Amino acid sequence: SSGINAEWPLRPGDYMVACPIDLNQARQLLTTFKFLIDEPLVNFYRDNHWRYIVTLEWDDFLVALSDEELSQLPCPSIVPITAPGSYREFLKHVENCIIPVTYHSSGGTNDDDLVKVGMSPKKQHEISEMSSLVMRQLEGQSISQVIDFGSGKGYLPENLSLNNPQLLVVGLDKSEVNTRGALNRNNLMNRLWYPLHLKANPGSTINRDELNHYEPLMLHLNPTHVNKNFVGDISAVSTTLRSDRSAMLVGLHACGDLTSFLLSTFLACPELRSIVSVGCCYHLITQRTPTQCYMTPDSDSPHHYPNPDPTARHAYPLSNTLKESPVYFSRNALNLAQQAPEKNTYFRKLPDRNIFYRAVFQVILSTFYPKAAFQNVGHKASTANDFPEYCNLALEKLSLPALLEDEVMGILRTYEPVERHIYIVYQLRMLLSRVIESVVVVDRLCYLRENGIKSEVGCVFDPVISPRTYVITGEKP
């Protein structure tokens, strides 16, 4: 564990919370600070974004922060001593608009090294904590089946099955490579796990086939169609799942709209009685506007998107609560929701200098190559040792002629005195990242509650280890 509770000032609270954020305050906050979350950071110097900070009269205090204080800026609970009253009030509003990042370790479900084979430390943490939460959620419910949607290599369903032989577990994934890998791993675990089980339980009468009821399945689903016979259709191609039994639906880091699809499927299928869902990849969600236009993540424009599927049912917002008074996000805002403020703060991490280089390079593009000012320079330039090399690599990527080093360095020297400005704004943006994520998560929570589901939201992972920690749990009455 990172020891986050000692290092990161978290708000006290229960594992799950009932009323996570003030939506009206979140809406106002995101509107007021739209310039921070919507404006591309690459245009920071070209468009003089610092003027917004000057208008707020925060510039002097922010520039005077030490590196240590700047590294702590994404944490709303840490208030710089020199902060003016308006900034302190801003931090209070941010706290009110964030689902509390309160993590309590469950102790995990199994520490056997065999189960951890092939997993990174991050994945080990996620599987251990998620398995423990699933088992707690099953307590007191007459559910004997678990369906893991988007199971990947099968780490979670396999861990659930090996440690709980009474469970029937199916892992669904659309990738043939993942499913084949999960099947091979499961066969290996079956061979190795049984002798360990007998050694730990000398009097056990369970046979090898009864020890593990996990089945990996490759399944392609239409994400625009909610299937009321979801469990029945899967049981028709499964040797494990029973259509006459209740099941829990689980989604660990289901990307973008897939989490919304899971929630809709859970509501539609009567055999699904419980759900545990952790979302991720908010930059991949589709948004539905009041005029039924759709904003999708596959456009270069941050505000106006083509509608790839007018019949999509799983676009944000899902809930009537947010539909009646919506909060929409630009593409940049949803990208920002992918940040890891707790991790950066815990490790006292400051922004990389490539952020500064990229913004200065944007000035060069706008000055010398205006037609190329909106092109992506890629990641190759980030390997550069200095700014002239950065420019050469970026210009090469864009197939543009090189500049003289004196010209490049002249422009760099113009902005070096205000280099710290972009790092400050970068940290302030990260401070708002959890607000954006919280609004999306609360929309999903409200969607379940509006449909009569007893549902809660909390944190299942240490956010320093796994930043996408928000989990929604739900039970049908």
Side-chain angles (χ1 to χ4, degrees):
S1 174
S2 65
I4 187 174
N5 285 324
E7 298 289 337
W8 169 255
L10 302 174
R11 287 194 279 174
D14 295 329
Y15 178 76
M16 294 291 179
V17 291
C19 300
I21 68 171
D22 184 330
L23 274 175
N24 288 328
Q25 198 169 122
R27 186 179 295 106
Q28 182 178 356
L29 185 71
L30 293 174
T31 300
T32 302
F33 291 93
K34 197 175 180 65
F35 70 90
L36 273 180
I37 62 176
D38 282 355
E39 297 291 343
L41 208 56
V42 296
N43 297 332
F44 182 80
Y45 294 115
R46 190 195 72 177
D47 297 342
N48 187 22
H49 292 176
W50 186 251
R51 71 185 188 278
Y52 298 116
I53 304 300
V54 174
T55 301
L56 292 169
E57 299 183 350
W58 294 351
D59 50 324
D60 290 340
F61 125 76
L62 288 170
V63 169
L65 293 177
S66 66
D67 284 353
E68 173 76 8
E69 291 172 318
L70 183 58
S71 73
Q72 302 293 295
L73 212 58
C75 174
S77 298
I78 299 178
V79 183
I81 297 175
T82 57
S86 60
Y87 187 80
R88 293 171 184 269
E89 192 67 24
F90 163 67
L91 292 182
K92 290 179 183 178
H93 289 319
V94 171
E95 277 204 289
N96 290 339
C97 300
I98 293 177
I99 298 172
V101 188
T102 307
Y103 161 74
H104 303 292
S105 175
S106 67
T109 58
N110 192 286
D111 292 322
D112 194 288
D113 289 338
L114 179 62
V115 178
K116 300 175 182 177
V117 170
M119 297 188 205
S120 65
K122 175 177 179 288
K123 183 59 67 176
Q124 291 176 23
H125 173 74
E126 290 170 348
I127 298 306
S128 178
E129 295 296 333
M130 189 72 167
S131 297
S132 180
L133 175 58
V134 167
M135 294 314 299
R136 289 202 304 273
Q137 187 72 5
L138 286 172
E139 290 176 3
Q141 300 190 64
S142 56
I143 297 176
S144 60
Q145 303 184 122
V146 174
I147 302 172
D148 181 19
F149 198 96
S151 57
K153 296 179 181 179
Y155 296 138
L156 176 61
E158 183 178 70
N159 191 56
L160 286 169
S161 180
L162 288 174
N163 288 290
N164 306 278
Q166 76 281 6
L167 276 183
L168 305 179
V169 186
V170 171
L172 303 179
D173 200 276
K174 69 176 182 179
S175 167
E176 182 180 355
V177 173
N178 279 345
T179 304
R180 192 186 311 118
L183 187 60
N184 291 338
R185 177 186 167 88
N186 191 47
N187 290 337
L188 174 64
M189 289 296 164
N190 282 341
R191 292 197 302 272
L192 299 178
W193 188 266
Y194 189 60
L196 293 176
H197 169 77
L198 293 179
K199 184 177 179 180
N201 304 275
S204 175
T205 59
I206 192 171
N207 63 49
R208 188 187 299 270
D209 294 334
E210 295 173 322
L211 189 61
N212 184 5
H213 296 291
Y214 161 50
E215 180 184 10
L217 286 176
M218 186 180 76
L219 191 66
H220 290 276
L221 294 174
N222 180 357
T224 65
H225 174 65
V226 175
N227 186 359
K228 295 181 180 180
N229 196 36
F230 181 75
V231 173
D233 287 353
I234 296 172
S235 65
V237 295
S238 168
T239 59
T240 301
L241 203 68
R242 298 277 299 273
S243 62
D244 59 344
R245 294 187 186 181
S246 297
M248 170 187 281
L249 188 60
V250 174
L252 172 54
H253 289 156
C255 290
D257 294 333
L258 192 56
T259 293
S260 301
F261 175 73
L262 254 65
L263 299 180
S264 298
T265 300
F266 168 67
L267 292 176
C269 181
E271 289 81 20
L272 294 174
R273 306 302 303 170
S274 184
I275 189 169
V276 177
S277 173
V278 181
C280 73
C281 302
Y282 302 108
H283 61 298
L284 297 178
I285 67 172
T286 304
Q287 298 182 75
R288 182 194 294 112
T289 70
T291 57
Q292 298 303 305
C293 293
Y294 289 74
M295 301 189 293
T296 63
D298 55 1
S299 170
D300 289 330
S301 168
H303 300 294
H304 305 289
Y305 301 95
N307 175 15
D309 189 347
T311 63
R313 298 178 58 185
H314 318 299
Y316 165 90
L318 290 168
S319 68
N320 291 328
T321 302
L322 267 296
K323 286 178 183 177
E324 291 170 0
S325 189
V327 180
Y328 294 115
F329 302 107
S330 68
R331 188 179 178 194
N332 289 318
L334 291 176
N335 283 331
L336 187 59
Q338 292 298 106
Q339 294 288 344
E342 296 83 11
K343 183 177 181 179
N344 283 20
T345 302
Y346 178 78
F347 289 109
R348 307 295 195 267
K349 185 178 178 182
L350 290 172
D352 189 270
R353 201 178 191 205
N354 280 316
I355 294 169
F356 171 61
Y357 283 173
R358 181 63 185 87
V360 176
F361 182 70
Q362 190 71 5
V363 175
I364 290 175
L365 282 181
S366 299
T367 303
F368 296 97
Y369 317 96
K371 292 183 179 180
F374 300 99
Q375 294 187 36
N376 189 338
V377 303
H379 297 287
K380 186 177 180 181
S382 64
T383 62
N385 295 312
D386 54 33
F387 188 61
E389 183 182 1
Y390 182 99
C391 288
N392 287 335
L393 290 172
L395 290 171
E396 180 183 328
K397 168 70 168 57
L398 299 177
S399 301
L400 296 172
L403 292 172
L404 294 175
E405 185 171 329
D406 287 347
E407 290 179 304
V408 168
M409 290 305 296
I411 293 176
L412 179 70
R413 282 191 287 270
T414 299
Y415 293 100
E416 278 183 328
V418 290
E419 178 178 352
R420 197 169 183 80
H421 290 181
I422 195 170
Y423 302 147
I424 291 169
V425 169
Y426 182 91
Q427 296 293 77
L428 288 174
R429 282 161 51 89
M430 192 174 296
L431 177 63
L432 291 168
S433 64
R434 284 285 184 197
V435 178
I436 300 165
E437 181 180 11
S438 293
V439 171
V440 176
V441 173
V442 166
D443 172 57
R444 294 166 174 176
L445 178 71
C446 290
Y447 177 56
L448 290 182
R449 289 181 175 175
E450 289 169 0
N451 282 277
I453 305 300
K454 177 186 176 183
S455 50
E456 306 293 343
V457 63
C459 292
V460 63
F461 307 131
D462 183 332
V464 172
I465 300 173
S466 184
R468 304 283 73 78
T469 180
Y470 291 142
V471 59
I472 292 176
T473 61
E475 298 177 21
K476 288 180 179 175

